[in-house]
Amino acid sequence: MNEDNQELLTKHQQIVQYIEELSVGTRISVRKVAQSLEVSEGTAYRAIKEAENIGIVSTKDRIGTVRVEKKEYHQIDKLTFAEVVNMVDGDVIGGAEGLHKSLNKFVIGAMQLEAMKRYIDPDNLLIVGNRTQAHLYALGQGAGVLITGGFHPLDEAKELADELELPIIVTSYDTFTVATMINRAIDDRMIKKKIMLVQDILRTDAPVHVLHAKDKVSDVQLLIEESGHTRFPVVDEQYRPIGMITTRDVWGAEPEQTVDQFMTKNPLTIELQASVAYVSHTMVWEGIELLPVVGKDRKMIGVISRKDVLKALQFAQTQPQNGETFEDQLWSSVQKMRDKTGKLFYRRTISAQMTNHVGMVSEGLMTTLMSQAAMRIVKEEKRGNLILDSSSNFFLLPIPIDSVIDLVPNIIELSRRYCKIEVEIYCDGSRMAKSMFTARLVD
């Protein structure tokens, strides 16, 4: 028996190693893995799940299981007890010292106590009504308690909560409403997790090279040689950015001249909470190669370059996304198709949720669909991401519910940095709407 277990463990390791060697984006199937490594499908399935747990594989609806690049994310999808208090308009009855703690999951106590015991673990949140024994048991297991319906716990439970620093929260909402609120908050956080921020990509493993206003041109030349970089932020005594200087700025300058004579003053800066998409737009629009990153006190924390942004955008494209935005949901039922000549178009059926008060398709949703079609045709050309500058929309005929529409994008102009795209919507052979987009490219 022990030999069998050892053999099974070895097979698991072989499968995980096999998956690690696959390129990012490769689709993975149980049957294919089983055939390639000559193992049972059951063994392959368990090993793939293990690979998913360690973060090198991800499964998403309509895509399947794919190899992904392992990346450490901030646990922003986790809630703290303090956030739950605000969310449910609750009162903290005990264990206030533990409000800063994060909860791993919540358990709804709509079952007998003996059955409930199987689901309560440390760092959980038990959502339950006026069931005093359940309150005490959850606290004893290291879980917080959220009491619904406006009921209050026993004094014994309050004392135990204070001793263990595990919050007891009381709310007037019912259990179903509370569970819905928390689920929505977690989903919102998953969407934010999808949106990459500056703080997610800011490098902290490399020194930031800076200059001061009264440094000399000779100091700039020395820093260029030492660092291999060609542009640097200039900071004041409080380490706040006051300028930017590049090799071009000091070309032909005398070695003894000072930096403040040549620097570009009042540089654009960015904060940690800014999205990478916003940073890329700023860099493209302003023609900037390097942006200082500052904190709330305006002191410089680091710098972010075009190279950093491009790497982040490329990484985001290879990862399956969790938590869907409204745009994701709107596009999820769209089919990618081609006509007899090979021309690309997109098709979807108009659902009831897409209509306005008179039963016709919302003009706002049509605009969103057309902008998504424009972005996707540019990606088909492998030209990178779009930053839309402007659009002109024409709604020619109303589109009724349950209609099948075709979105037909056409690239009118395409250069290294700019493009112009026309998108038309057809229904039963008639043109219903049309948009013209101008955009910048981030390749």
Side-chain angles (χ1 to χ4, degrees), residues 84-323:
V84 172
V85 173
N86 293 330
M87 195 183 307
V88 301
D89 297 324
D91 295 319
V92 181
I93 303 300
E97 295 297 323
L99 285 173
H100 66 282
K101 296 179 181 177
S102 297
L103 55 105
N104 289 326
K105 66 177 182 179
F106 63 89
V107 179
I108 299 175
M111 60 189 83
Q112 295 297 321
L113 181 59
E114 289 303 315
M116 199 186 304
K117 290 179 179 179
R118 297 198 298 269
Y119 299 97
I120 300 175
D121 296 312
D123 301 320
N124 288 179
L125 176 67
L126 174 65
I127 303 174
V128 69
N130 190 26
R131 300 178 62 182
T132 55
Q133 292 305 311
H135 304 163
L136 292 169
Y137 179 81
L139 292 168
Q141 296 300 306
V145 179
L146 174 53
I147 305 174
T148 58
F151 296 106
H152 280 64
L154 299 173
D155 290 340
E156 181 184 353
K158 296 178 187 178
E159 294 171 2
L160 183 59
D162 289 334
E163 178 185 341
L164 300 175
E165 297 185 355
L166 291 170
I168 297 180
I169 306 163
V170 172
T171 179
S172 59
Y173 293 117
D174 60 52
T175 300
F176 177 80
T177 302
V178 166
T180 302
M181 287 176 169
I182 296 177
N183 259 322
R184 177 59 186 271
I186 292 174
D187 190 56
D188 287 347
R189 282 169 178 251
M190 292 302 292
I191 292 172
K192 290 178 182 177
K193 188 176 182 179
K194 171 181 172 179
I195 300 172
M196 198 172 294
L197 304 179
V198 170
Q199 67 183 14
D200 298 320
I201 67 170
L202 183 65
R203 294 184 60 186
T204 57
D205 58 343
V208 179
H209 301 282
V210 300
L211 291 160
H212 294 83
K214 295 306 178 183
D215 286 342
K216 298 177 182 179
V217 170
S218 58
D219 296 322
V220 179
Q221 298 292 354
L222 183 62
L223 194 55
I224 291 170
E225 293 173 7
E226 290 179 354
S227 67
H229 298 159
T230 59
R231 58 197 72 240
F232 308 96
V234 181
V235 298
D236 62 13
E237 293 78 7
Q238 283 76 43
Y239 213 67
R240 295 175 301 196
I242 58 172
M244 293 291 297
I245 195 159
T246 71
T247 51
R248 182 179 299 179
D249 296 328
V250 296
W251 185 266
E254 296 296 327
E256 294 303 312
Q257 291 182 282
T258 55
V259 167
D260 58 353
Q261 294 178 263
F262 304 96
M263 70 182 184
T264 301
K265 297 180 180 179
N266 302 317
L268 290 175
T269 59
I270 206 77
E271 294 188 355
L272 288 171
Q273 296 302 315
S275 71
V276 172
Y278 173 75
V279 174
S280 68
H281 182 276
T282 302
M283 285 181 159
V284 170
W285 186 261
E286 301 289 346
I288 295 172
E289 297 287 340
L290 191 75
L291 271 174
V293 181
V294 299
K296 296 297 183 183
D297 55 3
R298 309 308 299 168
K299 291 184 179 179
M300 199 176 77
I301 301 171
V303 293
I304 189 168
S305 67
R306 277 200 182 201
K307 183 178 179 181
D308 297 329
V309 172
L310 289 174
K311 284 179 65 177
L313 292 174
Q314 290 166 4
F315 174 81
Q317 291 177 17
T318 66
Q319 301 301 302
Q321 305 295 348
N322 297 311

Side-chain angles (χ1 to χ4, degrees), residues 301-362:
I301 301 171
V303 293
I304 189 168
S305 67
R306 277 200 182 201
K307 183 178 179 181
D308 297 329
V309 172
L310 289 174
K311 284 179 65 177
L313 292 174
Q314 290 166 4
F315 174 81
Q317 291 177 17
T318 66
Q319 301 301 302
Q321 305 295 348
N322 297 311
E324 291 190 331
T325 64
F326 289 130
E327 286 186 355
D328 294 329
Q329 295 171 19
L330 185 62
W331 194 261
S332 63
S333 299
V334 172
Q335 295 175 281
K336 177 181 171 182
M337 307 185 76
R338 294 188 183 272
D339 63 15
K340 293 179 181 179
T341 65
K343 182 177 177 60
L344 176 70
F345 69 96
Y346 302 98
R347 175 173 290 171
R348 76 154 293 159
T349 301
I350 301 303
S351 63
Q353 290 82 6
M354 297 174 63
T355 57
N356 57 24
H357 64 287
V358 294
M360 302 298 175
V361 180
S362 160

